[in-house]
Amino acid sequence: MKKQRRGKRKRSAAGKIGIFCVVLAGTVLVLGISVGAAWLWMNHSGERRLAGRQEALPEQMQLPETQAGTETQEGTEETQEQLEAGSIRYKGRIYTYKKDILTFLFMGIDKSGEVKASSNLFQGGQADSLFLAALDPQEKKISVIGINRDTMAQIDTFDKNGLSAGKQTVQIALAHAYGDGLEESCENTVNAVSNLFYGLPIHGYCALNMSVVSTLNDAVGGVELVLPSSADGLVKGWKAGERVHLNGKEAYRFIRYRDTGKAQSAEERLERQKLYLTAFISQAKKAVQEDMTLPLKLYTQITPYMVTDVTADEAVYLAGEALSYHFSGEDLYSMEGTVKMGEKFEEFYPDETALYELVLKVFYEEG
């Protein structure tokens, strides 16, 4: 009679599969908790960092020349000094700066490929696209102001040795060209825009080489919009008034193309960029709702093509906040003004009163 061998019993195939499923489920759960915890940590860290940026208050906004005489006659120069920091008086009413608003400058640079330092202080790349975005937590609203790249503004200039050559009034897109093509160029543009907007605090910036639009477009699943008249025939088969779904290359051409031989082509392109931005933000919000890790993935993916002082955790926080904020075409503003032909290129002169009142509308509250 054979002795019965003792030892471990062999598990059935079904048993092995069951154990594997339990391990897999546990692993997924742990990963999910880890990802969630990491997202929460970055979200909290980003919120804390951004709060530190909001300490600066705007200096007293100088009244446009068209209104200064009226206000002075009312004796507001004397009472203006008695107002609290961040408050101003305009047409007999008091406006207070929204201290918790966050303002960012986005720049599209006329370069392709990865970001590289410029060896020439005059070739840092022009900012062909300029948008000032404001996140208002009180109203849960995002406001965006499109800035014409030909806007005449005071910018800091430098000589070939990098020494200050004083200020010049030129197209604001050139502010980025003066510098290293990296942080110096961005900071020079931020200063120019802040000065143009009456000393408005700008809490962060992001400059992207324009070609990266293709990557961003496809990452959110593409953008759908109705073609304006300026896009008629821009891509083979495109007709004004038709609804199209843009792939990466089409999106790049849609926002980048400009017929420099046509009058006011910069303004025409800006209108297309505004149209695209409205559709992109809407699509991006849907994509982030489906994948909360998307902002961090995109931030990492486009880093080689970007210069920014917004950290990854700040970007994660901002993306999460933006999901609950309202944004539509009505929240996308243009600067009023006139276009004149300069010696070589077009020059856009903003309506100072209209710009002043736009700043009050977006960044201040009455009372």
Side-chain angles (χ1 to χ4, degrees), residues 262-282:
K262 184 178 179 181
Q264 300 188 31
S265 60
E267 190 68 16
E268 192 175 69
R269 181 175 62 181
L270 178 58
E271 290 304 310
R272 285 203 310 274
Q273 291 172 347
K274 287 165 54 182
L275 180 63
Y276 178 82
L277 184 61
T278 303
F280 177 84
I281 291 177
S282 177

Side-chain angles (χ1 to χ4, degrees), residues 46-58 97-104 135-138 201-204 314 317-318 321 325:
E47 181 180 16
R48 189 178 67 252
R49 283 175 181 269
L50 287 169
R53 296 179 184 238
Q54 293 175 306
E55 295 175 356
L57 290 176
Y97 174 73
K98 298 178 181 179
K99 297 179 181 179
D100 55 354
I101 204 167
L102 281 167
T103 305
F104 299 91
L135 278 71
D136 186 345
Q138 288 185 26
I202 296 177
H203 303 108
E314 289 172 339
Y317 169 74
L318 290 170
E321 281 290 287
Y325 281 38

Side-chain angles (χ1 to χ4, degrees), residues 137-244:
Q138 288 185 26
E139 296 187 27
K140 289 289 183 181
K141 179 173 125 179
I142 300 173
S143 299
V144 179
I145 301 174
I147 304 172
N148 188 316
R149 52 110 46 225
D150 292 330
T151 300
M152 299 302 286
Q154 277 199 340
I155 70 169
D156 292 313
T157 61
F158 306 89
D159 63 22
K160 62 181 181 180
N161 298 314
L163 299 176
S164 175
K167 291 183 180 293
Q168 290 186 27
T169 300
V170 295
Q171 287 89 343
I172 201 167
L174 297 175
H176 190 276
Y178 280 95
D180 57 357
L182 303 174
E183 287 81 6
E184 287 181 4
S185 291
C186 289
E187 290 167 4
N188 200 33
T189 308
V190 167
N191 291 335
V193 173
S194 176
N195 182 62
L196 176 67
F197 281 75
Y198 310 102
L200 185 75
I202 296 177
H203 303 108
Y205 63 79
C206 177
L208 292 167
N209 283 356
M210 295 284 273
S211 58
V212 81
V213 167
S214 297
T215 302
L216 292 170
N217 181 87
D218 292 347
V220 300
V223 168
E224 190 171 299
L225 49 74
V226 176
L227 295 173
S229 58
S230 64
D232 190 58
L234 199 57
V235 171
K236 187 177 180 180
W238 277 11
K239 293 181 180 180
E242 289 186 347
R243 178 170 289 277
V244 296

Side-chain angles (χ1 to χ4, degrees), residues 293-351:
T293 66
L294 182 60
L296 182 57
K297 290 176 183 176
L298 278 177
Y299 185 97
T300 303
Q301 189 175 358
I302 67 175
T303 292
Y305 313 93
M306 170 177 68
V307 179
T308 183
D309 63 349
V310 178
T311 61
D313 53 350
E314 289 172 339
V316 167
Y317 169 74
L318 290 170
E321 281 290 287
L323 289 178
S324 61
Y325 281 38
H326 173 269
F327 177 78
S328 69
E330 295 179 354
D331 305 311
L332 189 50
Y333 302 95
S334 294
M335 294 167 56
E336 297 180 27
T338 56
V339 178
K340 297 179 182 179
M341 192 63 200
E343 293 183 8
K344 293 183 178 180
F345 305 104
E346 288 184 337
E347 301 171 350
F348 177 82
Y349 292 87
D351 181 318

